Amino acid sequence: MPDKRLLIVVETAKNQARGPMLEADGEGAPGVRPEALLLTLFGDHVLDRGIAVSTGGVIATLDRLGVGEHATRATLSRMSRRDLLHTVRRGRQAFLGLTPHGTAVLRDGQRRLDGDVVDRHWDGRWTLLTFSVPETRRADRYALRTRLGWFGFGPLRSGLWVSASAADIAPALAELDLLDHAEVFRAEPFLWTDPARIAREAWDLPRIAAGYEQFLRRWGGSAPRDPGDELTCRIRLGAEWLLLIRRDPVLPPALLPPDWPGTRAAALFRALRRQWAGPAGELAGGLLEFLVEE
């Protein structure tokens, strides 16, 4: 069976497939579901701090993002069932902390948030992966395809996926018990093969570029409406950015169209995230009651 981390990635991919990435969904920020907002909140204020946070404070924070108490509680319950969160009780009060699995998931997300959207150290070689998964394991096959996208792979031909990076996909294959069903090669284009054409065929670059352009329009010149708005802005910013970069294989400049908007979008994301870090932390300290975990 797929591991719990894959279930989150698969569900996110299904949500994205329903429409534009920033489509309004009725809860919270456009195109960002409550779980994405909660993961961002815990990544910003709980991850690697050895603390749990009060359930009431989490509900209050999501309320500021337009997510009602019922939706927040339902999402927290699902996250607990997936072994992302655990509950610590002190008297009548409940606190939420990250499980080891939840910590691993958020660290992986932080790696993507902190990473670049352009590979400036490409050696000109490609990673090729071919696999054949039995029809009886369709769920694992779907989970693998989703996970490959997260690692920067794109489908070039039936059963053949390519990546411009040397990312180690072995752990994901091992988690799904698919190492014996896949082969991996490192290669470089030869004769008439055009690397830029490979990139155009393996990834929908116009769609990825459109997502970055939309991000720039949405957040360019953005500023909190009042002194207490930096927390919600920073959470929404991080959640939207993570959903956006899930589709980006992080290609080198040689494989990207000129004036790639991802570069400008990444600069804007980092500037706003840094600008709002201090005020957001102060506001979180007032809304969220913390408990040091033993």
Side-chain angles (χ1 to χ4, degrees), residues 183-239:
E183 305 294 342
V184 182
F185 307 88
R186 287 286 285 166
E188 59 186 30
F190 189 54
L191 294 178
W192 61 85
T193 302
D194 178 11
R197 178 178 58 80
I198 294 175
R200 290 194 300 270
E201 291 186 11
W203 296 281
D204 190 346
L205 296 181
R207 186 185 185 197
I208 296 171
Y212 283 130
E213 294 285 6
Q214 188 174 13
F215 182 89
L216 286 164
R217 289 193 299 271
R218 174 167 166 73
W219 291 100
S222 181
R225 291 181 296 276
D226 60 68
D229 206 39
E230 290 89 350
L231 175 62
T232 56
C233 282
R234 196 170 192 266
I235 292 173
R236 187 179 289 117
L237 176 80

Side-chain angles (χ1 to χ4, degrees), residues 2-260:
D3 74 335
K4 294 168 184 173
R5 195 179 320 178
L6 286 168
L7 294 177
I8 299 168
V9 179
V10 170
E11 191 164 297
T12 300
K14 288 179 179 176
N15 291 339
Q16 289 179 355
R18 294 174 184 151
M21 188 174 301
L22 296 182
E23 179 182 60
D25 62 11
E27 287 287 3
V32 179
R33 302 197 176 262
E35 183 169 301
L37 297 170
L38 286 167
L39 287 170
T40 305
L41 171 64
F42 277 83
D44 282 351
H45 302 287
V46 178
L47 180 63
D48 291 329
R49 300 189 183 195
I51 59 174
V53 63
S54 61
T55 302
V58 171
I59 291 171
T61 302
L62 267 288
D63 182 67
R64 295 173 69 90
L65 285 154
V67 182
E69 180 176 350
H70 177 75
T72 299
R73 288 189 181 277
T75 306
L76 289 171
S77 179
R78 287 195 299 271
M79 292 171 70
S80 295
R81 289 196 300 270
R82 292 178 187 149
D83 192 32
L84 293 168
L85 302 175
H86 71 94
T87 302
V88 180
R89 296 198 174 275
R90 288 292 183 271
R92 288 185 166 184
Q93 195 167 10
F95 293 81
L96 295 165
L98 291 168
T99 64
H101 171 65
T103 297
V105 169
L106 289 186
R107 283 177 181 167
D108 194 31
Q110 287 296 126
R111 176 184 62 82
R112 290 299 302 269
L113 285 176
D114 296 337
D116 203 347
V117 296
V118 176
D119 181 0
R120 304 189 185 279
H121 305 286
W122 189 46
D123 63 2
R125 296 194 297 163
W126 295 76
T127 301
L128 279 61
L129 183 143
T130 179
F131 63 88
S132 178
V133 180
E135 186 65 20
T136 55
R137 301 182 62 184
R138 282 181 294 176
D140 288 342
R141 184 169 57 202
Y142 182 85
L144 176 60
R145 288 171 176 167
T146 304
R147 196 67 171 147
L148 287 174
W150 175 252
F151 276 93
F153 282 82
L156 185 62
R157 301 285 186 274
S158 178
L160 176 63
W161 290 61
V162 298
S163 171
S165 76
D168 183 7
I169 196 67
L173 289 167
E175 288 167 356
L176 292 170
D177 193 24
L178 291 177
L179 281 173
D180 292 337
H181 296 270
E183 305 294 342
V184 182
F185 307 88
R186 287 286 285 166
E188 59 186 30
F190 189 54
L191 294 178
W192 61 85
T193 302
D194 178 11
R197 178 178 58 80
I198 294 175
R200 290 194 300 270
E201 291 186 11
W203 296 281
D204 190 346
L205 296 181
R207 186 185 185 197
I208 296 171
Y212 283 130
E213 294 285 6
Q214 188 174 13
F215 182 89
L216 286 164
R217 289 193 299 271
R218 174 167 166 73
W219 291 100
S222 181
R225 291 181 296 276
D226 60 68
D229 206 39
E230 290 89 350
L231 175 62
T232 56
C233 282
R234 196 170 192 266
I235 292 173
R236 187 179 289 117
L237 176 80
E240 290 185 18
W241 183 252
L242 190 56
L243 291 178
L244 182 60
I245 61 176
R246 283 184 185 281
R247 290 179 177 169
D248 192 336
V250 188
L251 298 175
L255 304 181
L256 293 170
D259 193 27
W260 182 243

